[in-house]
Amino acid sequence: MLLKTPDLCDQFENTPDVSLQIVAPMFKRFGKKQAFSGKIVTLKIFEDNSLVREALSENGNGQILVVDGGGSMRCALLGDQLGILAEKNGWQGVIVYGCIRDSADIDQLDIGVRALDTHPKKSVKKGIGEKNIPVTFGGVTFTPGHWLCADADGVIVASRALN
């Protein structure tokens, strides 16, 4: 059973061996999984989702792909085809600091998605970006290998799994 983010905050807020960060409330929820958790994998891109496709083509092993899209509201970085790929390859969810498209179709997939909003325009495809580096947005640094938990109350990041 997935623990709730408020309970995790209460339990681990002052635990010295756990670094707990709470992401600023900024995301809209998409996908069937309203609550999800897993290890963080990161991408830093801008208006180019080539690396998103590359990452989601790999076995997700129950991980969360965190996409720092620079907060761009000018195009989508995830659509239904990439959502299907994420579901098929075992990703728990995708956090997009940017926009998605095909939101009604993504809502039918068994993954969790958080994004700033929706946008109908697709991104460019130049293959530019960085993988598995710490990225910062929403007042939080997302470090590859750290743990993310998302539910209806918010998104938290911890230095280790919280169970």
Side-chain angles (χ1 to χ4, degrees):
M1 179 179 159
L2 190 65
L3 297 173
K4 299 187 308 181
T5 57
D7 295 342
L8 292 171
C9 287
D10 293 348
Q11 182 178 352
F12 293 102
E13 184 175 35
N14 295 312
T15 305
D17 67 327
V18 177
S19 168
L20 189 68
Q21 302 176 77
I22 302 166
V23 181
M26 62 174 55
F27 293 116
K28 294 183 178 182
R29 294 189 309 258
F30 304 95
K32 280 187 180 178
K33 283 188 181 175
Q34 293 299 301
F36 55 95
S37 65
K39 278 189 177 179
I40 295 172
V41 173
T42 65
L43 294 176
K44 185 172 182 68
I45 60 176
F46 188 73
E47 298 180 0
D48 178 346
N49 74 347
S50 303
L51 296 182
V52 177
R53 174 176 294 281
E54 188 178 296
L56 295 177
S57 295
E58 298 171 4
N59 185 337
N61 293 316
Q63 299 177 107
I64 312 294
L65 182 62
V66 175
V67 180
D68 180 353
S72 174
M73 304 296 271
R74 300 188 302 196
C75 68
L77 298 174
L78 180 81
D80 60 344
Q81 295 305 306
L82 294 184
I84 290 167
L85 200 56
E87 179 185 49
K88 177 182 140 199
N89 288 326
W91 291 86
Q92 283 294 306
V94 183
I95 305 287
V96 181
Y97 185 49
C99 294
I100 67 164
R101 67 187 208 160
D102 305 310
S103 61
D105 295 320
I106 288 174
D107 281 341
Q108 301 307 308
L109 300 175
D110 191 29
I111 58 170
V113 176
R114 299 293 187 274
L116 295 178
D117 215 327
T118 59
H119 197 292
K121 183 181 176 188
K122 67 181 177 180
S123 77
V124 297
K125 312 281 190 267
K126 295 182 180 177
I128 298 171
E130 297 177 87
K131 301 179 201 178
N132 288 321
I133 62 165
V135 297
T136 302
F137 56 86
V140 168
T141 297
F142 299 83
T143 303
H146 282 193
W147 195 261
L148 184 144
C149 183
D151 65 12
D153 291 310
V155 178
I156 62 171
V157 173
S159 55
R160 64 170 175 83
L162 305 175
N163 28 5

